[in-house]
């Protein structure tokens, strides 16, 4: 016997006649006897042990002519059904016979459908169904034939399950069809028992099989009795079977274990009462009264039958929900300890999870897990329910000693085997703990996150906003993040323990995923553990999650150096790109830290590092100054990429800085070549090309400062560009002529021409005339330009003159008047201002005579032929020498004259069109003036609706609308006033 689920009490003794059947009605017992009498026993006073004694209240002699073999009480209809010679119905509580079914004479078994009021009985090989008409009579419904005598029957929905001599069948009461279920046993008669859920329990020898209402086997399994039962009574959560020598009680929960055995001889019948089971012996009546559930639970727990105890807890009444939860929790804890001590770690964790015990209690079973300090105080009464302190200590667990590392210095073979088994057990223990913590983690993290968010919101809108800001600042640096809430403390304990368990079981990848997500791992404990275990990648994630970016980058740099030297203890090889990837999210929050650590990998991966600066939106001035100090050779490259990406994002200072860097490199290159006498003005290094391109395209540098750095005998092309930036166009063009590079001179003129916003004949074409003058007298313009540049850069000359066109030269008496008049030429010649005119401070030192100068006639003619449309033809002809042949000017004058003729023709056509349009307008004016308006006596004013009469009138342009002139004038004045008021409202 496992435990006492029922107490057996003798209720009635020494009944003079043999008892054939037993039923209960309220508090009374009804015993059908073999002499056909019905004995009624009533309860007397309760005894000290809570049991009741019964005494004979009435004896109904002649209740039946033959022994009453079976009875059924229908309390809902106040009926008693008895089976003797026939089936009779008696009114309760008077026991008056109200109906006798004569057709049931010879019946051996019956069953009653409480829901519909149907009676079914079997007589020989016939099955009959009667219906109670809610009056005093019964109506026969149907009669069916079966193959053999029915031994047992029971309603199953609208069908009937019949236990025939050798098999079970389902009888369809609508069609009469029989469907076989399975065969019954050979030794024991068939037995059909209805379950409270509507299913059936069918007996086959000593086995009870569960089937549904259609006869299909259920997956619940089967009950194995000690012997073949004669009767079975169901009283949840137990099933009681009447066996030949005793009454056997089994649980209805798989695997249907034996609960109790009640040894009683000569038990003839079992009957279900309100809260007990009545046993009828030959001459006495006993009662099986259930032991209170609480007492049963205590018994089962003490004996170690935890599963059965938990199943009984679910039967406690709903009003005792707190008691039920407490008992279930305590049983789960005891059961978990039992399973844990016996090596069933996963099952133990399931019961710890169901008990809702604090995780610190479970973690106390693992001595190798280091937990952070906590301010939470737990109620010991909730844990030590039974007062057994051994269950709350680590000593109660088989894992405490096993978790300690064992010494291997003096191990024998047996000790090695034991160590291997201990290691396996430790691994299983930790795996069970991991599953337990992962199941608990979601709710913990959710509560901790919600709590943190709520605190932030309250502090932000409340009076503690300043304190919250101070707290944020203090938590940003090195050390543990302050955790002041219960939910976050518990989340920290859980995550710290989970991380350790994952590392101890070799699940580094899962531990890494834990650290990459939202977690509350204790920084100090986890840092120490990760450092000892060389889990560097996980340590990086720990630092990153706690915003300890400097520590993370220092570790990453250390690992990078070890990877390069081949001394790394980890399998993963770190690359400089890893530092760049780590720095990307920090560009917006800590640019100084980004610049500091980017210098460590700038040389090894310059492209990625500069892309980091560009994509991270770090201020360009900050990056440039940092690069200038720590990596000057990369500063120019960074500025180049910045300009290529967005020129407006680079300030003038940075543009000037980049140009100076280029110039410094070019000067070093020039000095090196000059030292070996290999300098060539037409040689272009990559840096010089960049310098020339930057000088032409960038506008943010200071040309005067750069011009001072140029050597006097080299880099003329750079000098020319700088002079052009200073609007010293004559000097710049003189340099190009001096270099004998007419294409560069022409390109220079084109840039100046195209850079002007609104070019006109006088302002834009004058640059080509300046070049023309230089070609006509190159010796004058190129002589002494070095001295002029020196004067230009002198402190007294601070202004930068612009190109102008002044009528300073007198007209030379050369050229055709007809050609000069084509462009509307004035009697002027191009000259420059005081600085740009080419005159020096030495008076007439630069005066020259045209006859003594060498003319670059080919360049002059090439310029005129290629840019004829941008040059003032009249002024160009005045500048040309008298000896110039007209044939050489065909390429210049030809298109120029064609364009002039075309413009003259176009202007003539336009003039004719304008005259024609003028005549048309005049003709229309005359036709409008000829309009006639006829005023009659019926003509009305469209404004005042009065007759026009002889008054002065006005006519609208449509010719049909007539108004008084006075009305027209008043309407115009009203419109003017309205517009004025609207204007004042707008103002």
């Amino acid at each position: 016997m496992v435990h006492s689920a029922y107490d057996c009490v003798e209720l009635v003794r020494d009944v003079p006649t043999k008892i054939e059947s037993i039923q209960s009605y309220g508090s009374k017992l009804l015993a059908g006897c073999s002499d056909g009498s019905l004995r009624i026993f009533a309860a007397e006073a309760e005894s000290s042990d809570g049991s009741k004694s019964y005494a004979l209240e009435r004896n109904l002699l002649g209740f039946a002519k033959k022994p009453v073999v079976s009875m059924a009480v229908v309390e809902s209809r106040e009926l008693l059904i008895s089976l003797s010679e026939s089936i009779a119905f008696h009114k309760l509580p008077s026991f008056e016979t109200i109906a006798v079914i004569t057709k049931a004479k010879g019946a051996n078994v019956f069953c009653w459908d409480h829901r519909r009021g149907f009676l079914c009985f079997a007589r020989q090989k016939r099955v009959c169904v009667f219906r109670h008409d809610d009056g005093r009579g019964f109506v026969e419904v149907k009669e069916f034939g079966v193959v053999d005598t029915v031994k047992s029957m029971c309603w199953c929905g609208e069908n009937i399950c019949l236990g025939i001599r050798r098999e079970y069948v389902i009888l369809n009461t609508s069609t009469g069809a029989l469907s076989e279920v399975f065969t019954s046993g050979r030794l024991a008669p068939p037995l059909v028992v209805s379950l409270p859920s509507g299913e059936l329990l069918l007996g086959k020898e000593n086995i009870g099989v569960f089937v549904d209402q259609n006869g299909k086997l259920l997956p619940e399994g089967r009950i194995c009795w000690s012997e073949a039962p004669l009767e079975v009574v169901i009283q949840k959560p137990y099933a009681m079977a009447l066996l030949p020598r005793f009454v056997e009680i089994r649980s209805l929960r798989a695997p249907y274990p034996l609960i109790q055995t009640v040894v009683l001889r000569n038990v003839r019948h079992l009957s279900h009462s309100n809260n007990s089971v009545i046993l009828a012996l030959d001459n006495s009546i006993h009662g099986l009264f259930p032991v209170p559930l609480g007492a049963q639970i205590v018994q089962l727990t003490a004996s170690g039958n935890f599963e059965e105890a938990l199943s009984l807890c679910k039967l406690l009444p709903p009003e005792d929900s707190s008691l039920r939860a407490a008992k279930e929790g305590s049983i789960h804890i005891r059961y978990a300890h039992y399973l844990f001590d016996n090596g069933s770690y996963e099952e133990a964790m399931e019961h710890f999870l169901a008990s809702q015990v604090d995780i610190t209690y479970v973690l106390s079973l693992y001595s190798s897990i280091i937990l952070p300090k906590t301010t939470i105080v737990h109620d010991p009464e909730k844990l030590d329910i039974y007062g057994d302190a051994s269950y709350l200590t680590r000593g109660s667990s088989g894992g405490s000693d096993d978790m300690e590392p064992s010494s291997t210095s003096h191990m024998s073979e047996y000790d090695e085997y034991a160590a291997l088994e201990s290691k396996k057990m430790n691994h299983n223990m930790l795996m069970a703990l991991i599953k337990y913590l992962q199941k608990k983690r979601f709710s913990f993290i959710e509560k901790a996150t919600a709590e943190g968010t709520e605190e932030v919101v309250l502090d932000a809108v409340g009076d503690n906003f300043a304190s919250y800001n101070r707290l944020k600042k203090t938590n940003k640096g090195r050390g543990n993040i302050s955790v002041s809430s219960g939910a976050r403390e518990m989340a920290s304990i859980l995550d710290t323990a989970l991380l350790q368990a994952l590392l101890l079981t070799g699940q580094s990848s899962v531990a890494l995923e834990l650290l990459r997500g939202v977690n509350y791992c204790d920084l100090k404990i986890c840092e120490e553990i990760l450092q000892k275990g060389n889990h560097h990648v996980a340590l990086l994630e720990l630092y990153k999650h706690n915003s300890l970016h400097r520590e993370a980058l220092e570790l990453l740099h250390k690992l990078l150096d070890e990877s390069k030297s081949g001394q790394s203890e980890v399998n993963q090889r770190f690359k400089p790109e890893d530092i760049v990837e780590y720095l990307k999210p920090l560009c917006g929050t800590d640019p100084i830290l980004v610049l500091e650590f980017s210098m460590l990998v700038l040389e090894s991966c310059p492209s990625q590092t500069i892309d980091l600066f560009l994509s991270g939106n770090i201020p360009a001035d900050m990056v440039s100054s940092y690069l200038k100090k720590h990596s000057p050779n990369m500063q120019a490259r960074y500025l180049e990429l910045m300009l290529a990406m967005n020129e407006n994002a680079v300030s003038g200072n940075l543009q000037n800085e980049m140009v100076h860097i280029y110039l410094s490199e070019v000067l070093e290159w020039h000095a090196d070549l000059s030292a070996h006498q290999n300098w060539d003005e037409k040689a272009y290094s990559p840096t010089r090309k960049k310098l020339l391109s930057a000088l032409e395209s960038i506008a943010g540098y200071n040309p005067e400062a750069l011009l001072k750095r140029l050597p006097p005998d080299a880099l003329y092309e750079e000098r020319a560009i700088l002079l052009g930036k200073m609007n010293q166009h004559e000097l710049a063009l003189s340099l190009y002529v001096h270099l004998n590079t007419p294409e560069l001179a022409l390109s220079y003129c084109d840039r100046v021409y195209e850079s002007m916003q609104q070019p006109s004949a006088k302002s834009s074409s004058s640059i080509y005339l300046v070049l023309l003058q230089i070609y006509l007298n190159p010796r004058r313009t190129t002589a002494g330009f070095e001295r002029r540049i020196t004067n230009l850069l002198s402190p007294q000359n601070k202004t930068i003159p612009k190109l102008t066109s002044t009528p300073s030269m007198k007209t030379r008496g050369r050229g055709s008047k007809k050609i000069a008049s084509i462009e509307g030429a004035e009697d002027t010649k191009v000259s420059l201002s005081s600085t740009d005119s080419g005159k020096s401070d030495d008076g007439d030192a630069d005066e020259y005579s045209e006859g003594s100068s060498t003319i670059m006639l080919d360049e002059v003619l090439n310029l005129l032929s290629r840019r004829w449309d941008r040059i003032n033809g009249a002024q160009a002809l005045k500048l040309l020498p008298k000896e110039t042949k007209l044939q050489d000017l065909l390429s210049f004058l030809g298109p120029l004259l064609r364009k002039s003729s075309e413009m003259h023709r176009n202007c003539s056509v336009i003039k004719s069109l304008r005259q024609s349009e003028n005549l048309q307008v005049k003709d229309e004016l005359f036709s409008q003036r000829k309009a006639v308006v006829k005023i009659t006596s019926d003509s009305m004013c469209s404004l005042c609706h009065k007759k026009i009469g002889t008054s002065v009138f006005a006519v609208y342009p449509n010719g049909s609308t007539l108004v008084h002139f006075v009305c027209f004038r008043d309407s115009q004045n009203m419109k003017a006033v309205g517009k004025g008021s609207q204007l004042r409202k707008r103002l």
Side-chain angles (χ1 to χ4, degrees):
M1 182 177 68
V2 178
H3 77 283
S4 296
Y6 289 87
D7 292 330
C8 183
V9 179
E10 187 178 20
L11 304 178
V12 179
R13 66 176 61 182
D14 298 331
V15 178
T17 57
K18 185 178 179 180
I19 300 175
E20 296 288 343
S21 59
I22 188 73
Q23 278 292 320
S24 65
Y25 172 60
S27 61
K28 297 180 181 182
L29 298 178
L30 309 179
C33 301
S34 58
D35 60 355
S37 63
L38 178 66
R39 293 177 179 269
I40 305 169
F41 299 92
E44 294 181 341
E46 293 186 2
S47 61
S48 59
D49 59 354
S51 61
K52 297 180 181 180
S53 60
Y54 285 77
L56 181 63
E57 181 183 74
R58 294 173 61 184
N59 184 11
L60 301 179
L61 298 173
F63 182 76
K65 295 180 180 181
K66 292 184 179 183
V68 182
V69 296
S70 181
M71 290 188 298
V73 173
V74 184
E75 293 187 1
S76 61
R77 299 174 184 258
E78 294 293 329
L79 293 175
L80 172 63
I81 307 173
S82 63
L83 173 61
S84 180
E85 182 182 14
S86 181
I87 296 178
F89 287 83
H90 311 274
K91 186 66 177 177
L92 293 177
S94 63
F95 298 99
E96 175 190 358
T97 303
I98 59 175
V100 176
I101 300 178
T102 56
K103 195 171 184 180
K105 188 175 182 179
N108 62 320
V109 64
F110 73 91
C111 61
W112 174 262
D113 185 355
H114 292 269
R115 183 174 60 86
R116 297 182 299 165
F118 276 44
L119 174 69
C120 177
F121 61 87
R123 178 175 57 86
Q124 296 178 356
K125 296 183 180 182
R126 308 296 294 177
V127 176
C128 300
V129 179
F130 281 73
R131 176 174 54 83
H132 185 229
D133 62 357
D134 293 330
R136 298 177 65 88
F138 285 83
V139 178
E140 182 178 359
V141 178
K142 285 186 179 180
E143 181 178 353
F144 306 98
V146 292
V147 296
D148 206 341
T149 304
V150 177
K151 298 295 183 179
S152 179
M153 64 166 48
C154 183
W155 285 97
C156 51
E158 297 184 358
N159 300 327
I160 305 172
C161 182
L162 304 177
I164 308 178
R165 186 182 299 272
R166 296 297 181 189
E167 62 181 346
Y168 294 100
V169 295
I170 300 294
L171 174 63
N172 189 323
T173 56
S174 300
T175 62
L178 293 173
S179 57
E180 295 184 3
V181 180
F182 55 80
T183 59
S184 61
R186 294 183 178 181
L187 302 178
L191 178 64
V192 182
V193 181
S194 177
L195 300 177
S197 58
E199 288 86 11
L200 300 175
L201 179 64
L202 307 182
K204 186 171 184 179
E205 304 297 355
N206 66 326
I207 299 175
V209 182
F210 293 95
V211 298
D212 62 9
Q213 294 183 355
N214 297 318
K216 294 183 179 180
L217 295 177
L218 296 177
E220 281 79 1
R222 56 193 64 189
I223 299 180
C224 293
W225 308 101
S226 301
E227 300 179 37
L230 303 176
E231 291 183 8
V232 174
V233 173
I234 304 298
Q235 188 178 44
K236 276 195 168 184
Y238 303 116
M240 282 161 280
L242 174 58
L243 305 182
R245 295 175 297 169
F246 50 83
V247 176
E248 188 171 280
I249 303 173
R250 288 185 176 270
S251 173
L252 281 176
R253 185 183 57 84
Y256 313 104
L258 175 65
I259 300 299
Q260 185 179 357
T261 300
V262 180
V263 180
L264 285 174
R265 296 284 184 176
N266 301 321
V267 178
R268 301 185 61 84
H269 295 288
L270 298 180
S271 177
H272 184 276
S273 182
N274 292 330
N275 59 348
S276 61
V277 176
I278 308 302
L279 286 69
L281 283 70
D282 286 343
N283 298 102
S284 63
I285 302 174
H286 288 68
L288 294 179
F289 294 92
V291 176
L293 289 176
Q296 294 187 55
I297 292 171
V298 173
Q299 291 181 45
L300 291 168
T301 306
S303 62
N305 198 342
F306 302 104
E307 294 286 350
E308 194 66 32
L310 289 172
S311 66
L312 289 184
C313 287
K314 294 179 172 59
L315 299 178
L316 289 173
E319 55 269 15
D320 296 335
S321 57
S322 59
L323 175 63
R324 170 181 171 178
K327 284 186 175 294
E328 284 185 340
S330 65
I331 295 170
H332 278 299
I333 293 175
R334 294 287 297 273
Y335 195 16
H337 276 289
Y338 172 80
L339 293 170
F340 195 90
D341 293 339
N342 287 276
S344 301
Y345 304 114
E346 290 194 13
E347 295 180 19
M349 292 303 155
E350 290 294 334
H351 286 282
F352 277 130
L353 187 66
S355 69
Q356 298 296 322
V357 70
D358 195 84
I359 60 171
T360 55
Y361 177 75
V362 179
L363 292 172
S364 66
L365 302 175
Y366 293 82
S367 60
S368 61
I369 301 296
I370 305 173
L371 301 181
K373 294 181 180 180
T374 176
T375 59
I376 301 175
V377 179
H378 301 287
D379 188 0
E381 294 181 0
K382 294 182 179 179
L383 301 178
D384 191 9
I385 297 175
Y386 294 100
D388 189 358
S390 65
Y391 280 100
L392 301 180
T393 62
R394 295 184 180 181
S396 66
S397 170
S400 61
D401 295 335
D402 296 328
M403 297 301 291
E404 298 296 333
S406 57
S407 174
T408 59
S409 58
H410 303 289
M411 270 194 173
S412 62
E413 293 182 1
Y414 176 78
D415 293 333
E416 292 178 1
Y417 175 77
L420 181 61
E421 290 297 318
S422 175
K423 185 176 181 181
K424 184 186 298 184
M425 184 173 66
N426 293 344
H427 183 271
N428 295 336
M429 290 172 63
L430 291 171
M431 289 300 296
L433 178 64
I434 290 171
K435 293 181 181 179
Y436 167 76
L437 294 177
Q438 287 175 339
K439 291 178 181 178
K440 298 280 290 185
R441 188 172 186 272
F442 176 77
S443 60
F444 275 57
I445 297 299
E446 190 176 39
K447 290 179 183 178
T449 305
E451 196 172 57
T453 304
E454 184 178 357
E455 286 185 5
V456 171
V457 173
L458 291 177
D459 287 340
V461 300
D463 297 332
N464 297 328
F465 183 65
S467 64
Y468 166 68
N469 285 335
R470 290 194 297 271
L471 179 63
K472 282 177 64 180
K473 292 178 181 179
T474 58
N475 288 342
K476 187 177 180 182
R478 170 78 182 183
N480 277 327
I481 295 178
S482 176
V483 180
S484 59
S485 68
R488 279 176 285 176
E489 279 194 27
M490 296 307 297
S492 177
I493 293 173
L494 187 148
D495 280 348
T496 304
L498 179 58
L499 179 65
Q500 296 178 65
L502 290 170
L503 295 176
L504 290 172
T505 54
Q507 303 182 66
S508 301
S509 59
V510 183
L512 192 60
E513 291 299 323
L514 171 67
L515 292 171
R516 284 174 178 168
V518 178
N519 69 85
Y520 291 84
C521 291
D522 184 86
L523 175 61
K524 185 176 180 181
I525 295 175
C526 295
E527 180 184 22
E528 182 178 354
I529 292 172
L530 293 173
Q531 286 176 347
K532 288 181 179 180
N534 291 328
H535 300 286
H536 301 297
V537 179
L539 184 57
L540 286 173
E541 291 297 332
L542 179 68
Y543 285 147
K544 184 177 182 180
H545 179 75
N546 289 276
S547 298
L548 300 177
H549 303 298
R550 180 173 294 277
E551 287 79 358
L553 289 166
E554 289 175 352
L555 174 62
L556 196 55
H557 182 241
K558 176 184 175 183
L559 296 174
L560 180 60
D561 292 341
E562 292 178 357
S563 299
K564 289 180 179 178
S565 61
Q567 300 176 357
S568 178
E569 298 179 1
V570 294
N571 296 328
Q572 182 175 354
R573 309 295 295 179
F574 292 90
K575 300 177 292 184
E577 289 80 2
D578 297 331
I579 294 182
V580 176
E581 289 297 323
Y582 189 96
L583 291 173
K584 283 182 179 179
L586 304 179
C587 292
T589 57
D590 200 347
I592 298 298
L593 186 67
V594 173
L595 291 173
E596 177 183 348
F597 282 91
S598 63
M599 296 300 108
L600 303 176
V601 294
L602 185 60
E603 296 295 334
S604 55
C605 50
S607 300
Q608 294 90 330
T609 308
I610 292 180
D611 288 341
L612 170 69
F613 298 149
L614 299 177
S615 61
N617 294 324
I618 303 178
D621 294 334
M622 181 186 299
V623 177
S624 179
S625 61
Y626 209 90
L627 290 174
K628 183 178 181 180
K629 182 178 180 181
H630 297 87
S631 182
N633 57 332
M634 298 301 297
Q635 184 184 10
R637 183 172 178 181
Y638 166 73
L639 294 175
E640 287 175 9
L641 294 174
M642 280 294 294
L643 283 172
M645 186 174 67
N646 185 5
E647 184 176 353
N648 297 327
V650 181
S651 63
N653 293 333
L654 292 182
Q655 295 180 10
N656 188 49
E657 185 80 19
M658 186 180 73
V659 175
H660 274 279
I661 293 172
Y662 287 156
L663 181 57
S664 299
E665 294 182 10
V666 171
L667 290 176
E668 292 178 2
W669 174 65
H670 167 260
D672 184 54
L673 292 180
S674 299
H676 296 82
Q677 296 182 356
N678 292 330
W679 171 253
D680 183 5
E681 186 65 32
K682 295 185 179 181
Y684 295 94
S685 67
T687 307
R688 189 183 183 190
K689 292 179 181 179
K690 292 180 181 179
L691 176 62
L692 292 171
S693 176
L695 291 175
E696 292 178 356
S697 59
I698 296 177
Y701 59 84
N702 183 4
E704 294 183 13
L706 294 172
L707 196 59
K708 293 178 181 179
R709 298 183 60 188
L710 294 178
D713 57 346
L715 303 179
Y716 295 110
E717 190 172 347
E718 289 82 350
R719 189 187 303 273
I721 296 175
L722 292 173
L723 290 172
K725 292 290 183 178
M726 299 171 64
N727 291 324
Q728 299 298 321
H729 303 296
E730 183 181 5
L731 290 175
L733 291 172
S734 298
L735 284 174
Y736 286 123
V737 174
H738 172 71
L739 295 173
N740 195 21
T741 53
E743 289 297 327
L744 294 178
L746 182 60
S747 299
Y748 179 88
C749 293
D750 292 339
R751 287 197 303 273
V752 174
Y753 179 87
E754 294 169 359
S755 64
M756 296 182 181
Q757 298 294 331
Q758 294 179 353
S760 61
K762 293 182 180 181
S763 62
S764 60
S765 62
S766 59
I767 186 65
Y768 295 100
L769 296 177
V770 171
L771 179 59
L772 187 63
Q773 287 179 336
I774 295 173
Y775 283 151
L776 291 174
N777 196 348
R779 184 175 300 175
R780 169 190 172 273
T781 54
T782 57
F785 62 82
E786 193 65 42
R787 184 177 67 257
R788 284 184 283 166
I789 293 175
T790 304
N791 295 334
L792 178 67
L793 299 177
S794 63
Q796 292 80 9
N797 191 358
K798 296 296 183 180
T799 59
I800 300 178
K802 294 184 179 181
L803 182 66
T804 57
S805 177
T806 56
S808 59
M809 291 189 175
K810 294 183 179 181
T811 306
R812 298 183 180 183
R814 58 177 293 278
S816 171
K817 181 179 180 181
K818 187 173 183 180
I819 296 176
S821 64
I822 292 175
E823 295 283 336
E826 301 178 286
D827 190 14
T828 62
K829 187 173 182 180
V830 175
S831 68
L832 299 175
S833 62
S834 59
T835 304
D836 204 26
S837 62
K839 294 182 180 181
S840 67
D841 297 336
D842 298 334
D844 299 330
D846 289 336
E847 292 294 329
Y848 69 100
S849 61
E850 187 173 312
S852 62
S853 176
T854 301
I855 298 176
M856 302 174 68
L857 186 60
D858 293 339
E859 285 76 4
V860 169
L861 297 177
N862 183 52
L863 174 64
L864 292 175
S865 62
R866 295 177 64 179
R867 295 294 182 267
W868 61 267
D869 55 334
R870 296 184 178 185
I871 298 176
N872 189 306
Q875 292 185 6
L877 291 175
K878 291 179 181 180
L879 293 175
L880 292 175
K882 298 179 181 179
E883 296 80 9
T884 305
K885 296 181 181 180
L886 188 60
Q887 184 178 0
D888 297 335
L889 297 175
L890 286 177
S891 58
F892 168 64
L893 295 176
L896 185 64
L897 290 174
R898 286 194 295 271
K899 179 180 178 182
S900 178
S901 301
E902 182 181 355
M903 291 179 61
H904 184 269
R905 290 193 300 272
N906 291 341
C907 290
S908 299
V909 173
I910 292 173
K911 179 181 179 181
S912 301
L913 292 174
R914 294 288 174 83
Q915 290 177 351
S916 176
E917 184 180 4
N918 186 29
L919 292 175
Q920 292 177 2
V921 172
K922 287 182 179 180
D923 181 65
E924 185 177 358
L925 176 62
F926 292 151
S927 63
Q928 291 293 333
R929 286 179 175 177
K930 291 181 179 179
V932 177
V933 178
K934 184 177 182 180
I935 304 298
T936 63
S937 59
D938 297 330
S939 299
M940 304 288 290
C941 175
S942 297
L943 294 177
C944 66
H945 303 291
K946 295 181 180 180
K947 293 184 177 181
I948 297 295
T950 58
S951 302
V952 179
F953 62 91
V955 183
Y956 279 90
N958 58 11
S960 60
T961 303
L962 302 175
V963 294
H964 289 107
F965 180 76
V966 177
C967 295
F968 172 74
R969 184 179 59 189
D970 293 342
S971 65
Q972 295 298 316
N973 293 336
M974 289 176 65
K975 289 181 181 179
V977 172
K979 290 181 180 179
S981 61
Q982 291 179 3
L983 181 60
R984 284 193 298 273
K985 288 180 181 179
R986 293 175 183 175
L987 295 175

